[in-house]
Amino acid sequence: MIILFCILFVICPSVIWAKSYIVEGESQSIHYHLRILPQRFNQASFEIRWNKVDSLSFSFARITTYGQGLETSNPIKVEIGSSSPLATQISTSQTFIDPNDPQEIGLSAVLDVSTAGAILSVGVAKPIAEIPVPFTVQVGSTIEGIVLKNAQITRDEFTASFIPPAELSSFGSIDQLIEYIQNSTDPYEGFWTYFDRVTTPGISSIGGYYTIATVASGSTYSIIYISGAQSLAHNWQQLQIKGSLTPATFPGAFNLTWIQPSLIPLSYETSATIDGDLLTLSFPHWHTSLRFRRILPAQIPNL
């Protein structure tokens, strides 16, 4: 049974072990596994804390095992809450029964964060509870493991992948970019706007009806975003890098890196071709292709 309630009170629990990890950027995924071995015949308590910006401001999951060395029906209490300089608020409290004895083999809490949300899993030999928890990425904050009493750490594992920060091109304005391309004699440089697509429902979709530019950058070509983003449009501004083209084995063929609306780069089995006034981006693993037609600067939409 799930009990939802809200209590305000101030606590200052003692800490016998703590370790923290910095959230270095916008997260694509985070996995934090904290496992304890409780002292026999003692109540043990530990926490995972996230979005911690100082010693009094964070969200947390507090796990308590009552473990009396029972062979069956070991109760495990999970509290979800948040702390501020004024008070600690517990929003959800649940008690679960695990058939395994945590004092014999240990007890795990696992926090998994993805773009779809965050899940806290708790259990001895396997998860007996999977609880959605509120998680808002705060770059520069920390995720922390805390042992409050009567336990030793047997596993402390943190892995994360972060979305690269948005990158702007070297052009100071769209007018500078237009002037550069007007003076270019490179057939692979130019302005391009959406022409058509092939997508597979349930597998792929397009993030917008883009207008882009391709500009030589050393031995590669930068793809520069001009306009047209619809999905997560707030992530995109004019002259932001949308990807890159690296020349392949024959003229007009390129290896492609394409930055998705979420800012996550995509390069698995991706390629591009430029054939005259047609630029084709191919994503065969996702049964998708996009085609762009070359346009003159005066044809750039919404300028």
Side-chain angles (χ1 to χ4, degrees), residues 266-295:
L266 182 66
S267 59
Y268 178 72
E269 293 189 359
T270 56
S271 63
T273 57
I274 295 178
D275 184 8
D277 291 336
L278 198 63
L279 165 64
T280 302
L281 308 182
S282 299
F283 308 85
H285 183 75
W286 290 272
H287 308 287
T288 297
S289 64
L290 297 175
R291 294 201 300 177
F292 296 80
R293 61 183 178 85
R294 191 188 298 270
I295 58 174

Side-chain angles (χ1 to χ4, degrees), residues 40-283:
R40 287 188 58 79
F41 308 114
N42 282 288
Q43 185 186 88
S45 182
F46 66 111
E47 293 183 2
I48 291 179
R49 298 175 178 178
W50 60 93
N51 285 350
K52 183 175 180 180
V53 294
D54 57 47
S55 61
L56 295 177
S57 304
F58 52 87
S59 300
F60 67 87
R62 181 180 304 135
I63 300 94
T64 302
T65 172
Y66 294 93
Q68 300 299 314
L70 304 176
E71 293 183 359
T72 59
S73 302
N74 291 282
I76 296 170
K77 184 178 182 180
V78 181
E79 297 168 292
I80 309 297
S82 60
S83 173
S84 74
L86 297 178
T88 292
Q89 175 178 317
I90 295 180
S91 57
T92 303
S93 179
Q94 305 178 50
T95 299
F96 303 92
I97 301 299
D98 196 308
N100 299 291
D101 187 348
Q103 296 191 10
E104 296 295 333
I105 60 177
L107 173 63
S108 285
V110 179
L111 178 66
D112 281 305
V113 181
S114 71
T115 54
I119 297 290
L120 178 78
S121 304
V122 179
V124 176
K126 62 181 180 180
I128 59 165
E130 294 183 338
I131 307 167
V133 296
F135 190 102
T136 302
V137 173
Q138 297 185 35
V139 176
S141 66
T142 61
I143 293 177
E144 188 172 46
I146 299 285
V147 175
L148 299 174
K149 62 179 180 179
N150 299 329
Q152 67 182 58
I153 295 295
T154 61
R155 186 170 184 176
D156 173 54
E157 178 183 272
F158 178 85
T159 58
S161 61
F162 298 105
I163 299 171
E167 180 185 357
L168 291 177
S169 74
S170 60
F171 293 94
S173 68
I174 186 67
D175 289 336
Q176 288 183 10
L177 175 59
I178 288 173
E179 182 180 2
Y180 172 85
I181 288 181
Q182 284 178 328
N183 293 322
S184 173
T185 59
D186 188 330
Y188 303 136
E189 293 185 316
F191 288 105
W192 313 84
T193 197
Y194 172 86
F195 181 55
D196 63 12
R197 60 173 170 169
V198 174
T199 56
T200 302
I203 297 178
S204 62
S205 61
I206 63 172
Y209 298 91
Y210 298 115
T211 297
I212 56 178
T214 51
V215 172
S217 177
S219 61
T220 66
Y221 291 83
S222 294
I223 301 173
I224 300 174
Y225 170 78
I226 305 299
S227 64
Q230 294 182 343
S231 175
L232 300 177
H234 62 276
N235 282 342
W236 293 92
Q237 59 180 301
Q238 198 172 76
L239 302 179
Q240 192 169 322
I241 298 298
K242 189 73 172 99
S244 64
L245 303 173
T246 302
T249 54
F250 52 90
F254 302 87
N255 297 313
L256 167 68
T257 296
W258 181 252
I259 299 177
Q260 301 175 84
S262 63
L263 301 180
I264 299 172
L266 182 66
S267 59
Y268 178 72
E269 293 189 359
T270 56
S271 63
T273 57
I274 295 178
D275 184 8
D277 291 336
L278 198 63
L279 165 64
T280 302
L281 308 182
S282 299
F283 308 85

